[in-house]
Amino acid sequence: MALLNENYLKLKAGYLFPEIGRRVKAFTDANPEAAKRLIRCGIGDVTEPLPQAVVTAMHQAVDEMAVRSTFKGYGPEQGYEWLRSAIAENDFRSRGIEVADDEIFVSDGSKCDCGAILDILGDTNRLAITDPVYPVYVDTNVMAGHTGDADATGAYAGIHYLPCTAQNGFVPEPPKEPVDVIYLCSPNNPTGATASRAQLEAWVKYALAHNAILLFDAAYEAYIDDPTVPRSIYEIPGARECAIEFRSFSKNGGFTGVRCAFTVVPKSLMASTKSGEKRPLHPLWSRRMTTKFNGVSYIVQRAAAALYTPEGKAQVKALVEHYMGNAKLLVAGAKAAGHTVFGGVNAPYIWVSAPKGFTSWQAFDRILGEANVVITPGSGFGSNGEGWFRVSAFNSRANAEEVSRRLQSLKW
Ligand code: MLT
């Protein structure tokens, strides 16, 4: 009989968001009246329509596909040159950051890239992952067989967890011991914390000293308003020798349903063979993409390129301002209700303490049952998330105002 990948059997429960969806469905099926006033602030999914520049570009691209002379079949697996160049120029070089066009690899999402990157890394790397954390970093490593079993707290053997707590402002410090691959996310999902330049410098220093690789998830960089907060790991000298960066159009251009992202793999980034020979990772990632991926559709890449036009940039700015306006309301509401609140500044996630004596899931049930609002329980992101919950600012203004009110009127 064919064997299955037993690593999947080590995974705890379901993926967090389907599990929340299951619980919400059970609640709404049982409470049809409450279901009518349900507001979802759980998964960080955008709510506002696509920017007009994107809509126009997509329509034009469809028209091109409809005519023999402009029809496109397979494109370059790494992305069309005009998009890679627009990304490298606008997101990096115009900000004084050295990134070449061919160091950009266009994909259908950062979640996919975070999982796929494991293809080009060894199986025995010592992993460091924050707790709480975006669950994809952990689960993809479990699936790939890079961990042992989970213990009663949900922590997997073989992962070095970096505790993120209120004490360290939810930004981890480099560990005392050597690790090889480190996942960092700033602005952070789920806590909304951002790493300062000094904190990122400490990480780059650590990575260079230990020949480690930083997997830097910058999917929420568009939300950084404070000019002192780095938007890219490559703002830190030395990062081109130790970091891969993941970026997404999901949360800036509203592409969660369109699907487009990119990963930056600098040509100067090396990793070691078992025999100790240093080799660049760039050709491996290029090989991986050309073998296992056929590129993002032409229409979607045209849509992404439109985000870099003057109109596109202005429309993205307006979208970000809209969601950050929501964040402000939600932070104010949660604070007025007596919660301790992190995030919501330079980040679209608000990280809120559950009242004393409530676990994250108990808070989830109470907020769902009585305020009819869906949040994300902090413990779903790791054991240090216990006692916290995440509120997403991705919503309409009316819903954000209403959630802010309901949080304040909720009796615990
Ligand atoms: C989240 O809610 O954490 C995000 O939407 C998940 C994602 O971007 O994959």
Side-chain angles (χ1 to χ4, degrees):
M1 184 180 270
L3 299 177
L4 52 76
N5 179 352
E6 289 189 30
N7 294 315
Y8 279 64
L9 307 181
K10 295 181 200 160
L11 292 165
K12 300 294 282 180
Y15 182 58
L16 178 61
F17 295 106
E19 172 62 17
I20 291 171
R22 196 187 59 72
R23 290 184 187 222
V24 172
K25 184 167 185 318
F27 173 77
T28 49
D29 285 351
N31 301 279
E33 277 315 303
K36 288 186 195 150
R37 61 192 298 271
L38 192 79
I39 302 180
R40 293 175 193 272
C41 291
I43 190 163
D45 194 4
V46 292
T47 54
E48 303 309 292
L50 290 171
Q52 189 52 48
V54 165
V55 175
T56 306
M58 288 180 99
H59 281 150
Q60 275 168 6
V62 170
D63 288 343
E64 286 178 59
M65 294 296 263
V67 178
R68 180 177 296 278
S69 60
T70 48
F71 170 78
K72 306 271 184 300
Y74 292 124
E77 292 90 344
Q78 302 93 332
Y80 281 100
E81 181 47 40
W82 36 262
L83 178 57
R84 298 173 89 190
S85 163
I87 293 169
E89 185 56 39
N90 288 279
D91 283 339
F92 300 101
R93 293 196 292 265
S94 69
R95 297 170 190 265
I97 304 167
E98 180 194 348
V99 169
D101 297 358
D102 62 357
E103 292 175 328
I104 305 286
F105 293 85
V106 178
S107 76
D108 59 347
S110 285
K111 182 179 177 178
C112 317
D113 284 355
C114 285
I117 203 74
L118 300 182
D119 276 6
I120 65 162
L121 299 174
D123 286 330
T124 54
N125 285 320
R126 291 162 295 188
L127 303 170
I129 292 182
T130 61
D131 172 12
V133 74
Y134 178 44
V136 171
Y137 312 151
V138 176
D139 289 1
T140 52
N141 275 288
V142 175
M143 290 169 174
H146 295 170
T147 73
D149 289 323
D151 66 15
T153 70
Y156 287 93
I159 293 183
H160 183 94
Y161 287 94
L162 304 164
C164 293
T165 61
Q167 284 71 42
N168 62 14
F170 294 97
V171 180
E173 278 167 31
K176 301 276 175 280
E177 50 278 88
V179 292
D180 304 307
V181 174
I182 301 135
Y183 287 82
L184 294 177
C185 175
S186 178
N188 190 264
N189 180 10
T191 66
T194 49
S196 68
R197 183 169 300 276
Q199 285 165 327
L200 292 180
E201 279 169 357
W203 274 109
V204 167
K205 193 168 161 208
Y206 175 93
L208 293 173
H210 293 89
N211 290 317
I213 291 178
L214 303 176
L215 298 179
F216 190 75
D217 185 346
Y220 299 92
E221 63 77 34
Y223 291 85
I224 297 174
D225 191 35
D226 180 344
T228 68
V229 175
R231 298 172 74 138
S232 165
I233 192 69
Y234 304 118
E235 289 181 40
I236 311 298
R240 284 184 54 83
E241 280 66 52
C242 65
I244 290 173
E245 181 162 300
F246 302 102
R247 291 269 191 119
S248 171
F249 297 111
S250 284
K251 312 292 160 85
N252 58 1
F255 274 32
T256 54
V258 175
R259 309 305 313 148
C260 196
F262 62 91
T263 289
V264 187
V265 183
K267 282 179 245 168
S268 45
L269 175 65
M270 313 287 259
S272 180
T273 63
K274 278 198 183 119
S275 61
E277 190 193 344
K278 283 196 168 185
R279 299 283 287 265
L281 283 173
H282 184 277
L284 272 66
W285 185 242
S286 193
R287 185 72 166 85
R288 191 258 168 218
M289 293 299 271
T290 50
T291 304
K292 292 199 180 182
F293 190 55
N294 259 334
V296 175
S297 81
Y298 175 72
I299 297 162
V300 167
Q301 291 193 61
R302 279 290 179 211
L307 295 171
Y308 292 105
T309 60
E311 314 80 72
K313 284 181 189 175
Q315 290 158 9
V316 166
K317 188 164 173 281
L319 274 177
V320 167
E321 279 169 6
H322 165 80
Y323 292 126
M324 287 311 290
N326 290 349
K328 214 169 171 182
L329 287 166
L330 293 165
V331 167
K335 281 190 177 163
H339 299 279
T340 303
V341 181
F342 283 82
V345 179
N346 298 312
Y349 292 126
I350 294 101
W351 189 244
V352 184
S353 66
K356 215 171 163 41
F358 281 81
T359 65
S360 299
W361 276 110
Q362 284 167 341
F364 172 90
D365 287 338
R366 178 67 64 97
I367 297 169
L368 177 62
E370 292 184 20
N372 306 142
V373 173
V374 182
I375 49 87
T376 307
S379 56
F381 298 105
S383 56
N384 272 315
E386 184 55 278
W388 296 84
F389 59 90
R390 190 192 77 176
V391 186
S392 161
F394 293 110
N395 226 314
S396 65
R397 181 56 47 83
N399 276 353
E401 283 165 353
E402 179 61 17
V403 170
S404 179
R405 271 194 294 274
R406 289 191 202 170
L407 285 176
Q408 292 172 69
S409 58
L410 186 61
K411 302 277 173 292
W412 289 91

